[in-house]
Amino acid sequence: MKPRTEDPSQLSLGYFFPSGKTNFLYSDEAARRTPAMTKANLVELAQAAERVGFDSLFIADNWSGHQRVAEEFGHQSPAYHAPLLAMALLATTEHIGVISTFHTTHHKPAHVARMGATLDAFSGGRWGWNVVTGFSADEAALFGEPFIDHDERYVMAAEFVDIVKRLWTEHEPIDVDGKYYRVTGRIKTPRPVQDPHPLMVSAGASPAGAEFAARFCDQLVTLANTEELVREVDRRLAALTESSKRTVGTCPFSMAIVRPNEGEAEEEYARLLQTLNVEATKEIAADVLGSIESSRSMYEKMGEGEATRAFGGAGSVLQLIGTPEQVAEKIISLKRTTATSNVLINFPLWSPQELESFSPVLPYLREAGVWSPPQERNWSW
């Protein structure tokens, strides 16, 4: 078994791996300037992230291809199926973790237990599960299933995860006759090598989603675009985990543009905003509004037009834009004033060279004592 040895004083850095030509910043110029979604380019990107010093890659996913304008322009598209892409990246890297999305609503527990065990054992304990219930009626229709109420999906997910963990850890056959799932037997070996189980994260911001994360997950990924909003998430998690004594790290989404000279990163960002694809953004936001409460609040507060521009311009995430020193100052402050355990970073102009542009940030983080190279932490999460 491989115990996870997280050090709460040290910040982890996760790379939000491209699940399409663009994510969060739906700029047509960004889509034109990013590489093709080919094997060679994606493998090179994963290897660059490992070389720079990222702890993990995070692969988001959904099933339905109903976003036609977004698909035409490359926004959140094309997107490879997360667990299959995860195996490819695990096979072509040596140390970096890979977190892939599996939906609970559209799978059986034995599916995820077997596939997750394979990914974790094959990689030597480098796989993590982003637990997603699904939030789209189009996805449910794709599987010929009824669209299940939001909170009930989390009740189903709780039963699902309980069964998966038992299939991972119990070597005698199990017999479960639950409200939603019936399982008799055991899965073939291998089993996961992480102890007590593979890293588990989720991204539900609703009360039901936060309660699920507090009960089952190691990290809660959140849309919180200021330190104060991150602290609000911290407080909610602390209240939910007080009785169980569990530790659930806060993991805010962020977007990074790092340039060596003053003002260059801001100019790059402004240039990308000029080609924001409003129609594609509306398609994507319509999906997200079904489940991510922070985005729903943003629309209600700002109105549709302004909120669409803010959403499509990465306004819903922390913005790490500036020189290496300026970006480092933002990250250091985040670590010192919140319970953030991992920063999940998206690069709108992703490429190996763009990841390398983040390298000069790291010495500042190390000097401040909030980060150390993964190899010095035994490649922990």
Side-chain angles (χ1 to χ4, degrees):
M1 300 294 286
K2 177 186 176 182
R4 295 205 310 271
T5 55
E6 297 93 338
D7 180 350
S9 71
Q10 296 291 290
L11 190 68
S12 292
L13 298 175
Y15 174 38
F16 190 89
F17 205 75
S19 53
K21 295 276 284 180
T22 67
N23 293 280
F24 295 118
L25 182 59
Y26 305 116
S27 158
D28 289 340
E29 181 182 346
R32 288 192 295 268
R33 290 173 58 185
T34 48
M37 301 284 287
T38 63
K39 172 189 172 183
N41 287 339
L42 295 181
V43 166
E44 185 182 9
L45 191 67
Q47 292 170 341
E50 182 172 68
R51 186 170 61 250
V52 167
F54 283 89
D55 291 87
S56 61
L57 311 173
F58 182 100
I59 309 173
D61 203 4
N62 54 50
W63 283 86
S64 177
H66 62 280
Q67 299 170 353
R68 303 306 292 273
V69 177
E71 187 174 281
E72 177 184 355
F73 287 89
H75 304 299
Q76 286 197 344
S77 180
Y80 292 104
H81 186 38
L84 297 181
L85 179 57
M87 179 57 87
L89 301 181
L90 287 167
T92 51
T93 55
E94 295 298 325
H95 301 290
I96 197 167
V98 179
I99 300 168
S100 64
T101 299
F102 271 118
H103 288 64
T104 54
T105 311
H106 309 310
H107 284 99
K108 303 281 190 183
H111 287 147
V112 173
R114 182 92 196 281
M115 289 188 282
T118 297
L119 288 161
D120 198 57
F122 182 85
S123 66
R126 294 192 286 132
W127 175 70
W129 177 15
N130 176 37
V131 186
V132 171
T133 67
F135 56 80
S136 166
D138 294 279
E139 283 188 335
L142 189 66
F143 288 90
E145 299 170 353
F147 186 50
I148 298 168
D149 176 74
H150 173 274
D151 285 6
E152 186 177 4
R153 293 199 300 271
Y154 278 104
V155 177
M156 291 178 65
E159 185 175 304
F160 189 108
V161 170
D162 272 330
I163 294 170
V164 169
K165 286 185 174 180
R166 290 188 64 186
L167 289 170
W168 279 343
T169 58
E170 297 183 25
H171 290 271
E172 295 302 319
I174 68 172
D175 191 354
V176 178
D177 187 8
K179 181 178 179 181
Y180 300 100
Y181 302 103
R182 179 80 175 90
V183 177
T184 301
R186 61 194 291 270
I187 62 169
K188 292 172 67 71
T189 57
R191 302 297 174 85
V193 301
Q194 290 180 74
D195 183 23
H197 54 71
L199 185 87
M200 296 178 62
V201 305
S202 65
S206 67
E211 289 174 10
F212 176 84
R215 181 178 170 189
F216 292 104
C217 296
D218 303 293
Q219 297 176 5
L220 176 63
V221 179
T222 182
L223 287 174
N225 60 3
T226 66
E227 287 186 7
E228 178 52 39
L229 289 176
V230 174
R231 284 191 289 272
E232 287 183 17
V233 177
D234 295 342
R235 288 190 286 269
R236 290 174 61 195
L237 283 175
L240 289 167
T241 57
E242 184 176 7
S243 60
S244 67
K245 306 301 182 184
R246 296 189 73 248
T247 299
V248 181
T250 306
C251 178
F253 281 114
S254 66
M255 181 200 72
I257 302 176
V258 185
R259 297 292 181 267
N261 299 315
E262 183 86 27
E264 288 181 342
E266 290 82 358
E267 290 175 3
E268 184 80 88
Y269 179 50
R271 192 159 46 246
L272 295 176
L273 288 179
Q274 292 175 3
T275 59
L276 179 65
N277 190 317
V278 177
E279 293 306 313
T281 300
K282 285 182 178 179
E283 283 187 342
I284 297 166
D287 279 351
V288 173
L289 286 176
S291 67
I292 300 182
E293 297 300 326
S294 56
S295 294
R296 187 192 301 276
S297 298
M298 182 176 70
Y299 264 65
E300 290 174 351
K301 181 179 180 180
M302 300 172 64
E304 181 179 358
E306 185 181 352
T308 297
R309 287 186 289 274
F311 185 91
S316 59
V317 302
L318 289 169
Q319 296 191 358
L320 305 176
I321 300 173
T323 65
E325 185 174 8
Q326 290 169 339
V327 168
E329 287 174 354
K330 294 177 183 179
I331 297 173
I332 293 165
S333 177
L334 181 71
K335 178 61 178 171
R336 288 177 172 170
T337 65
T338 74
T340 296
S341 63
N342 181 33
V343 181
L344 191 55
I345 303 175
N346 173 62
F347 292 83
L349 293 171
W350 59 269
S351 68
Q353 294 73 29
E354 195 73 11
L355 293 187
E356 293 287 354
S357 75
F358 192 79
S359 294
V361 174
L362 300 179
Y364 293 105
L365 303 184
R366 187 170 195 181
E367 183 179 357
V370 302
W371 176 87
S372 58
Q375 58 268 35
E376 295 183 9
R377 293 179 272 120
N378 196 26
W379 306 99
S380 70
W381 289 99

